[in-house]
């Protein structure tokens, strides 16, 4: 904990649009930490906009580390994809993941030449989903994170994988977190794009002015030579 709470970040804050009106800032990343009942809690510095680093991390529920390997892999995959489907989450409250993608993510065997696809493919997927639902219900006791398999159980395994999917519902605090991060990131991208556009526009204007100046100079020298 001492190492974490001693980490610092140095930045440059632009106070106004005027050139040179800025200050250097030095902040600790984490303002405190404590261990209670075997659980470590780290407190983030609220004066820092964490969006600059959020893109490198995936938010996970606390029960992630209690899950078996396949279930934890599936949970990580779900929340990793949630960051890419914030529009669906905001507008519909859910997004979907195909069973074929889950098969690959969990490194399950191919169905081709598989003598027991239920045992080696379908059952592991179903068990992983059930384990997530159980752990979430035990800890949070809400439906802000829900999983609904949509498939034809009687279909051949290839059709089950190609057409079946998992409907992932995210509402409440879970949804709000991903949506907030997405909007903040989008705002920063838009700001950066506008800044780059202004720089490009200014560079084009300068180059155009120099070109016109050079052409005028050449024409002036040409006229002087003919007189």
């Amino acid at each position: 904990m001492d190492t974490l709470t001693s980490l610092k970040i140095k930045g440059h804050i632009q106070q106004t649009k005027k050139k040179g009106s800025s200050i250097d800032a030095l902040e600790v990343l984490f303002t405190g930490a404590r261990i209670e009942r075997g659980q470590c809690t780290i407190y983030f510095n609220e004066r820092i906009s964490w969006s600059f680093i959020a893109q490198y991390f995936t938010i996970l529920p606390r029960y992630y580390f209690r899950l078996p390997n396949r279930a934890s892999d599936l949970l990580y995959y779900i929340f990793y994809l949630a960051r890419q489907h914030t529009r669906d989450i905001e507008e519909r409250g859910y997004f979907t993941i195909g069973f074929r993608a889950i098969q690959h993510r969990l490194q399950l065997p191919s169905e081709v030449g598989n003598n027991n696809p239920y045992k080696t493919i379908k059952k592991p997927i179903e068990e992983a989903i059930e384990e997530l639902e159980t752990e979430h219900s035990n800890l949070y006791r809400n439906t802000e994170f829900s999983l609904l398999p949509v498939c034809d159980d009687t279909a051949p395994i290839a059709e089950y994988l190609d057409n079946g999917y998992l409907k992932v519902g995210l509402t409440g605090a879970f949804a709000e977190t991903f949506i907030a991060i997405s909007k903040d990131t989008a705002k920063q991208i838009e700001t950066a794009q506008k800044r780059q556009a202004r720089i490009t526009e200014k560079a084009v204007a300068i180059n155009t002015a120099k070109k016109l100046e050079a052409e005028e100079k050449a024409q002036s020298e040409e006229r002087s030579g003919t007189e």
Side-chain angles (χ1 to χ4, degrees):
M1 289 194 298
D2 290 340
T3 302
L4 279 175
T5 53
S6 64
L7 292 175
K8 297 180 178 66
I9 184 171
K10 186 177 182 180
H12 200 61
I13 301 175
Q14 189 76 27
Q15 291 181 309
T16 68
K17 293 182 179 180
K18 294 182 179 179
K19 185 177 180 181
S21 181
S22 60
I23 60 173
D24 289 323
L26 182 66
E27 293 277 1
V28 293
L29 288 174
F30 309 103
T31 57
R34 72 175 183 180
I35 297 177
E36 184 177 355
R37 297 178 182 177
Q39 180 172 308
C40 181
T41 302
I42 305 296
Y43 297 94
F44 287 68
N45 187 339
E46 295 182 357
R47 292 190 298 272
I48 297 175
S49 173
W50 287 88
S51 57
F52 80 99
I53 202 173
Q55 60 180 312
Y56 303 106
F57 292 88
T58 296
I59 299 171
L60 295 169
R62 285 181 290 169
Y63 54 82
Y64 169 79
F65 297 99
R66 296 203 300 263
L67 294 167
N69 289 340
R70 284 199 179 110
S72 62
D73 284 347
L74 179 58
L75 183 64
Y76 183 92
Y77 188 47
I78 288 172
F79 278 77
Y80 169 77
L81 292 178
R83 294 178 51 189
Q84 303 173 30
H85 291 83
T86 52
R87 177 172 294 181
D88 290 332
I89 294 171
E90 184 174 17
E91 294 178 355
R92 300 188 297 177
Y94 71 90
F95 68 98
T96 61
I97 308 174
F99 282 162
R100 179 69 72 182
I102 293 177
Q103 175 197 23
H104 293 158
R105 176 66 190 189
L106 301 186
Q107 298 182 351
L108 299 175
S110 170
E111 72 277 13
V112 179
N114 195 322
N115 295 325
N116 197 342
Y118 173 76
K119 180 179 179 181
T120 59
I121 301 175
K122 291 181 68 174
K123 187 176 180 181
I125 292 176
E126 292 172 354
E127 287 179 343
I129 294 172
E130 184 177 348
E131 285 162 347
L132 296 189
E133 291 176 321
T134 300
E135 287 294 338
H136 183 86
S137 177
N138 290 341
L139 180 61
Y140 293 102
R141 301 187 183 282
N142 62 39
T143 57
E144 292 183 355
F145 173 52
S146 61
L147 302 174
L148 177 64
V150 180
C151 61
D152 180 0
D153 284 328
T154 63
I157 185 62
E159 292 183 18
Y160 168 86
L161 292 170
D162 290 334
N163 301 326
Y165 60 89
L166 182 63
K167 181 178 178 181
V168 181
L170 284 171
T171 59
F174 281 89
E176 291 168 3
T177 300
F178 284 103
I179 293 170
I181 291 175
S182 175
K183 287 184 176 180
D184 191 32
T185 302
K187 183 178 179 181
Q188 290 194 36
I189 292 173
E190 182 181 2
T191 300
Q193 289 175 337
K194 288 181 178 179
R195 186 187 304 115
Q196 185 60 45
R198 289 195 298 269
I199 293 172
T200 302
E201 184 179 348
K202 184 177 180 180
V204 170
I206 292 173
N207 289 334
T208 301
K210 288 182 178 179
K211 184 178 180 180
L212 291 173
E213 183 180 351
E215 290 177 353
E216 290 177 358
K217 184 177 180 181
Q219 291 175 359
S220 177
E221 291 176 350
E222 184 178 348
R223 286 195 298 269
S224 298
T226 57
E227 290 178 355

